[in-house]
Amino acid sequence: MGATDLYEIMRCAPTTRRFTGDPVPRETLRRVLESARFAPSGGNRQGWRVVAVEDPGTRRALGALYLPHWRQYLQDNGAAAVLANPGDLDPVLVRRLRAADDFAENLHEVPLHLVVCVSLADLTITDAALERPSVVGGASVYPFVQNILLGLRFEGLGAALTTLLAPAEPEVKRLLGIPDGIALAAYVLVGARADPWPARLSRRSVDEFAFAERYGEPLG
Ligand SMILES: Cc1cc2nc3c(=O)[nH]c(=O)nc-3n(C[C@H](O)[C@H](O)[C@H](O)COP(=O)(O)O)c2cc1C
């Protein structure tokens, strides 16, 4: 189960949406966080916070807060229509969509929910003044989140990084007692994977996104 080579882990840490339901030992989570905390952050402010939720009632409440935003997302991108009437669309795509929908409906069954937050005062948002959506703020928390995903994969555990809980931030903060000044960055569902690990993930080739010297020039 356990991938041990760093490149192997980076290449095969897929989104897991079907779990066995077995609990995740607290010491495993602690081990992952012990290493994930060495992630970089702007000014080394380390503004991340993690709430690990195992309580069935709280998991159910979090799942219920996620679901309407998932449904809205399906509506907005046309996926709801695909699910209702798959016709002769690519069966792999339809299967993936169904799996993500089943996952959304049954989040409460995933044994460990990690609500990853960040202290807003600790963000260094160097692109805040530009006339476009800011992307830099998240850079002080998502390397930490990715470290968690890779660490879980190293431990042989599956995980799904999601963000559709973010629109429910006020309710989530009330539910978990998260103080002012702390924002929700990610909702990571964790557990033992029910299916075998895939042989490979579908990603663009290096030549499609990496350039040499000037944008668009082949890297070679
Ligand atoms: C920023 C971000 C937000 C995501 N949000 C969600 C989400 O809300 N729900 C979900 O089911 N998957 C979510 N995902 C998972 C993506 O769908 C997944 O990474 C992508 O489809 C690749 O799938 P794979 O890793 O299994 O190949 C998110 C991933 C990222 C990086």
Side-chain angles (χ1 to χ4, degrees):
M1 258 318 222
T4 52
D5 174 77
L6 177 60
Y7 284 146
E8 190 190 342
I9 289 169
M10 288 165 67
R11 291 173 75 107
C12 189
T15 303
T16 293
R17 294 195 179 90
R18 274 175 24 90
F19 299 86
T20 64
D22 294 344
V24 175
R26 181 55 53 90
E27 61 267 29
T28 308
L29 172 63
R30 182 165 270 284
R31 219 165 31 238
V32 168
L33 295 175
E34 275 288 350
S35 290
R37 72 193 168 97
F38 289 95
S41 59
N44 199 19
R45 298 289 293 265
Q46 303 167 57
W48 46 73
R49 310 280 188 273
V50 182
V51 184
V53 175
E54 289 177 307
D55 175 75
T58 314
R59 287 184 309 179
R60 194 170 281 281
L62 287 170
L65 289 170
Y66 176 96
L67 194 57
H69 299 288
W70 166 254
R71 291 258 172 268
Q72 189 62 51
Y73 170 74
L74 288 186
Q75 283 294 340
D76 294 348
N77 69 12
V82 171
L83 277 176
N85 184 16
D88 50 7
L89 285 163
D90 178 4
V92 176
L93 177 91
V94 175
R95 217 178 311 126
R96 273 213 197 112
L97 212 46
R98 267 219 184 97
D101 198 42
D102 287 347
F103 164 71
E105 297 258 10
N106 297 294
L107 282 187
H108 58 278
E109 290 177 0
V110 185
L112 175 62
H113 298 204
L114 299 179
V115 178
V116 184
C117 304
V118 68
S119 153
L120 293 171
D122 289 325
L123 297 183
T124 311
I125 312 178
T126 54
D127 61 350
L130 297 180
E131 286 182 9
R132 60 152 176 77
S134 168
V135 293
V136 171
S140 278
V141 63
Y142 293 115
F144 170 72
V145 174
Q146 177 66 3
N147 269 0
I148 291 177
L149 298 179
L150 297 178
L152 291 167
R153 179 67 184 90
F154 178 66
E155 295 284 350
L157 289 169
L161 161 59
T162 76
T163 50
L164 282 166
L165 192 62
E169 180 177 284
E171 296 95 319
V172 174
K173 288 180 68 161
R174 266 196 300 281
L175 179 69
L176 302 180
I178 296 170
D180 287 347
I182 304 289
L184 207 160
Y187 179 39
V188 182
L189 291 305
V190 183
R193 200 177 151 86
D195 304 303
W197 296 99
R200 59 192 300 234
L201 306 184
S202 144
R203 298 291 189 267
R204 294 206 174 99
S205 72
V206 170
D207 290 325
E208 289 179 74
F209 63 79
F211 312 119
E213 309 302 345
R214 287 179 62 78
Y215 197 100
E217 297 295 327
L219 184 65

